[in-house]
Amino acid sequence: MERDTDFWSAYLLCLCIFLVGTLVLVLGRKVYVVRPPQGSIITDAFRVIWMMIKNRKMDAAKPSYQAGLGKSSNLRWDDHFVEEVKRALIACQVFCFYPIYWVVYGNFSNNFVTQAGQMSGHGIPNDLMQNFDPIAIIVFLPLVDQVLMPTLRKHKIPFPPINRIVAGFWIAALAMVYAAVIQHFIYQAGPCYGHPLCEAATGADGVIRGNNIHIASQTGAYMLIGLSEIFASVTGLEYAYTKAPPSMKSFVQSMYLLTNAFGSAISEALNPLLYDPAIQWMFVGLAIASFVAGCIIWILFHHLNAHEDDMNALDQDYDKDPTLRRSSVHGDRTVGLHESEKV
């Protein structure tokens, strides 16, 4: 639309899509599960974290632990709240490696577009190829949800969140390997070889064309990026939501999204490498970084898979027991008072 009409038509299409999405949110507001506002408990969360650091023990902030030491247990929170904060910290630890993934993921909308411009387009705009990323998600997501996961469950093969995140990092690494291979073949093709878009590529119409390698060969890189997004990005959002305390879900998810900003900052630092032929080795470096990051995540956090159901069960207790919700807001003074309210 931008090429054949004008920019206004392309922007208008995007506006219409966002209006449709907004309309769906507004019309569906009555069917959402919405917890009532409970006020900010961020201050208490940081106090709990400070007590954990000061005592070098995760359970040190629990009133029951303090009472066991003979100290005052007159705290603003209860044991359940401390468990929720521990869950939030676990989620944030996993997110520390996500900036590397976002650097890899961001290539589909910048460096891959540039790479496509160095190839023979055959009438296909180089920025049109990035649509294969959402197409891959549309194709693979139902297959993963309706075929892969049920098959694994049927054969009792576990595929918990940490494993899925690791798989996403490794698939992203494969996408970078694919891009590096394509870049290699671009340099092997004429008319410009290692210097794409040179003067020899200028046609009779004055348009500079890329080297003689079909732009469609780049599709695999976009498909792999889309598949990695299903495992790494979607699972990361799931992990941020399920592991965050009920009253801190927005905060923990914002921390997850903040990793995207760090990824963008790293991408900016890599800008000096965006020239031929260094960009090929940048793809190789990102492939190695993504693979190694996935390995480190597995080494550091795979033990959390064994506690997945226990951590998620805390939300069920929260929803079923109204005293837990009152304690998060007002803060029961002692565990004994909390238990008496239950009775």
Side-chain angles (χ1 to χ4, degrees):
M1 293 176 69
E2 176 270 321
R3 182 192 64 187
D4 298 336
T5 308
D6 203 349
F7 281 100
W8 69 265
S9 62
Y11 287 129
L12 179 62
L13 176 62
C14 298
L15 173 63
C16 293
I17 294 297
F18 273 100
L19 289 177
V20 171
T22 304
L23 184 63
V24 171
L25 290 173
V26 173
L27 295 179
R29 65 188 184 279
K30 294 184 178 180
V31 298
Y32 302 146
V33 177
V34 181
R35 289 189 174 115
Q38 300 168 5
S40 176
I41 45 81
I42 302 300
T43 303
D44 287 345
F46 281 114
R47 287 176 178 170
V48 167
I49 294 172
W50 171 245
M51 291 186 67
M52 291 176 178
I53 296 174
K54 185 170 63 174
N55 294 274
R56 298 182 180 180
K57 190 174 181 64
M58 295 290 282
D59 291 332
K62 290 184 176 180
S64 60
Y65 181 87
Q66 294 294 322
L69 296 177
K71 298 181 180 180
S72 172
S73 60
N74 189 23
L75 300 173
R76 292 167 52 88
W77 53 81
D78 59 8
D79 287 5
H80 185 85
F81 179 74
V82 177
E83 288 294 330
E84 290 181 327
V85 174
K86 287 166 62 176
R87 288 169 58 199
L89 291 175
I90 289 172
C92 291
Q93 287 176 354
V94 177
F95 300 157
C96 290
F97 295 90
Y98 264 84
I100 296 175
Y101 174 77
W102 295 126
V103 175
V104 173
Y105 176 78
N107 278 270
F108 95 91
S109 59
N110 46 52
N111 293 330
F112 284 5
V113 176
T114 303
Q115 184 186 67
Q118 297 178 342
M119 306 168 73
S120 181
H122 297 278
I124 302 174
N126 63 321
D127 58 351
L128 188 67
M129 292 298 296
Q130 60 185 316
N131 287 314
F132 279 101
D133 172 70
I135 290 173
I137 296 173
I138 293 172
V139 171
F140 289 126
L141 189 55
L143 293 176
V144 171
D145 188 51
Q146 301 296 324
V147 179
L148 176 63
M149 299 305 294
T151 302
L152 293 177
R153 286 193 294 267
K154 181 180 179 180
H155 293 86
K156 297 182 180 180
I157 301 175
F159 198 25
I162 297 298
N163 296 33
R164 297 200 297 271
I165 291 173
V166 171
F169 273 71
W170 287 351
I171 295 172
L174 287 177
M176 291 295 99
V177 171
Y178 191 103
V181 172
I182 290 296
Q183 194 67 41
H184 170 75
F185 281 113
I186 290 174
Y187 295 151
Q188 296 299 311
C192 296
Y193 299 96
H195 302 280
L197 307 180
C198 63
E199 293 184 2
T202 304
D205 54 0
V207 177
I208 300 178
R209 293 175 174 81
N211 285 354
N212 296 323
I213 175 172
H214 202 294
I215 193 173
S217 61
Q218 196 191 34
T219 304
Y222 285 103
M223 302 293 276
L224 287 169
I225 283 287
L227 186 59
S228 77
E229 189 175 359
I230 294 174
F231 290 111
S233 178
V234 174
T235 306
L237 281 171
E238 173 195 341
Y239 211 76
Y241 186 82
T242 57
K243 300 302 172 292
S247 50
M248 293 178 63
K249 291 190 181 296
S250 297
F251 175 77
V252 174
Q253 289 194 68
S254 68
M255 296 300 294
Y256 168 74
L257 295 175
L258 182 62
T259 62
N260 204 324
F262 287 116
S264 298
I266 296 174
S267 296
E268 287 292 322
L270 294 175
N271 278 345
L273 298 176
L274 302 183
Y275 65 90
D276 297 310
I279 191 170
Q280 178 183 355
W281 297 108
M282 189 199 73
F283 289 146
V284 173
L286 290 179
I288 295 173
S290 185
F291 178 78
V292 171
C295 294
I296 295 175
I297 291 173
W298 167 254
I299 293 171
L300 295 180
F301 304 115
H302 75 275
H303 67 279
L304 298 177
N305 289 327
H307 306 287
E308 180 70 16
D309 293 336
D310 294 336
M311 289 188 292
N312 291 341
L314 290 174
D315 270 358
Q316 299 174 6
D317 297 336
Y318 183 93
D319 289 328
K320 293 177 182 177
D321 191 344
T323 61
L324 294 180
R325 295 192 289 274
R326 289 203 299 273
S327 66
S328 324
V329 183
H330 305 294
D332 293 317
R333 292 302 178 186
T334 64
V335 177
L337 175 61
H338 179 64
E339 294 297 331
S340 67
E341 285 189 352
K342 285 186 179 181
V343 176

